[in-house]
Amino acid sequence: MAANPTVVPVALTAPVVQVLSASGDFSNLREIKKQLLLIAGLTRERGLLHSSKWSAELAFSLPALPLAELQPPPPITEEDAQDMDAYTLAKAYFDVKEYDRAAHFLHGCNSKKAYFLYMYSRYLSGEKKKDDETVDSLGPLEKGQVKNEALRELRVELSKKHQARELDGFGLYLYGVVLRKLDLVKEAIDVFVEATHVLPLHWGAWLELCNLITDKEMLKFLSLPDTWMKEFFLAHIYTELQLIEEALQKYQNLIDVGFSKSSYIVSQIAVAYHNIRDIDKALSIFNELRKQDPYRIENMDTFSNLLYVRSMKSELSYLAHNLCEIDKYRVETCCVIGNYYSLRSQHEKAALYFQRALKLNPRYLGAWTLMGHEYMEMKNTSAAIQAYRHAIEVNKRDYRAWYGLGQTYEILKMPFYCLYYYRRAHQLRPNDSRMLVALGECYEKLNQLVEAKKCYWRAYAVGDVEKMALVKLAKLHEQLTESEQAAQCYIKYIQDIYSCGEIVEHLEESTAFRYLAQYYFKCKLWDEASTCAQKCCAFNDTREEGKALLRQILQLRNQGEIPSTEMPAPFFLPASLSANNTPTRRVSPLNLSSVTP
């Protein structure tokens, strides 16, 4: 609370404020447990159920407190006592989602708790009406067509309270949410930062702030309170910004200080590994998490994405049936079932379940993106574009939606649009080779071959997931009659696919051997040419060419043609491709004598 001492929650007494201030380190886990239990109760009283659940789960992961150390409930103030009857009745209505009715009975209440519930009920009433109208409407909706009509009134009222410094931490949080909904991002960030100073234990304010930060530079300029909650926030935002190494380090530190039993941290680590496509590690952690918390539904849609990528039909089927038994009307459950049908190539059914998820929560990012993928499979490009655009509206950091839009416009043969969307995806995932290969293909179609070469080389340098960057680079060199560079790329491609130790069918393997056989033949390196030609004979599409080349080599040898004793010019990549300081080295003639597919 040091950053803003003038704004103190009036309704909370001094001892409670002291507990809620949250010191900057983890030296006293018992004190942290007290703080978490207290904030879980305060958020529950105000209907902030997700924040309450988060605090309670985190508190559960810490050792139990003895009776003597349990925190007593906050004392009731005079204002609380006056509003007690109205608050109790309104909270009952609020809990059964009768928001207008709750707001009606809270009108005129003066206590901080009752005022927050009054304003929050009005906000949720507007959101519910907006969602109902969105679901009932026919056809795709453009951004801004359906709005929460209560937002502008709420902003005016909360702004007056804010200027008069009458908002506590919860009021500031709600004011920030209203500003964000009105697309007043800068003002919303300032208010959320203020909310974290006034009430640092409220996870909801940190999470809303996280959703507004677009890059690491933006994060540096925020004046955040020095509290242990900041470590959870930084770990979360690093995961969202794809700064996975930093995120994993933060989560490891939190485990080391005493949160090793936290299911939230374990699930976040699994999500982080999912984001860097370490599928085995992520699957292992999710399986362990399922054993610890078998009825957990959060993040199970991410788990199903991993099972989908690995084509684990039986495991995905079991997960879908299990979640259906727990709660079939959760968005995560619908997404898991959608993934199951997608894996079975029943794309219409999959899209139906993703639509069902969006009826339950129109702002659920994963469902929009996955529905876009299904429309792509069904060749419905206009619906796919609409779904991806909705995903970006929900979260501009979703690289999958940007990448999906790029793919859609690629199908529509609109390379300039592709380039824009692939660039955005690449900015969000600078070390993802798939984005770089897609960018390279776009530049190639636009005849910007130098840029294309840079993209393919960079894709290889960061670790080519699909093992296609070198082949595309080699073909580009072929097109430009840069035979030595093309040969070097093919050599490296062959070495890479045989050194990885996996038995995988590589479609371009025959292309590489065919080119190298012809290249070595032109260089009069008969042994190497013969070896590559023999390899060509193992593939249906190059068998005849390989046999023809072997006959030519035999004929030349019989005629006494002298093979070249020197390699042609050393194989170095052009300077333009080495601009990123990626080390290049000379590649000797390919030794395939010990290589067997």
Side-chain angles (χ1 to χ4, degrees), residues 485-504:
Q485 287 89 343
Q488 181 185 21
C489 291
Y490 279 130
I491 288 169
K492 190 64 186 161
Y493 169 70
I494 294 292
Q495 288 173 342
D496 282 357
I497 63 174
Y498 284 141
S499 65
C500 69
E502 295 181 27
I503 303 172
V504 182

Side-chain angles (χ1 to χ4, degrees), residues 83-96 98 101-106 117:
D83 296 338
M84 181 64 74
D85 289 347
Y87 166 78
T88 305
L89 178 63
K91 184 63 167 63
Y93 292 146
F94 181 94
D95 289 343
V96 293
E98 295 183 9
R101 204 174 177 192
H104 172 74
F105 284 97
L106 286 167
L117 196 64

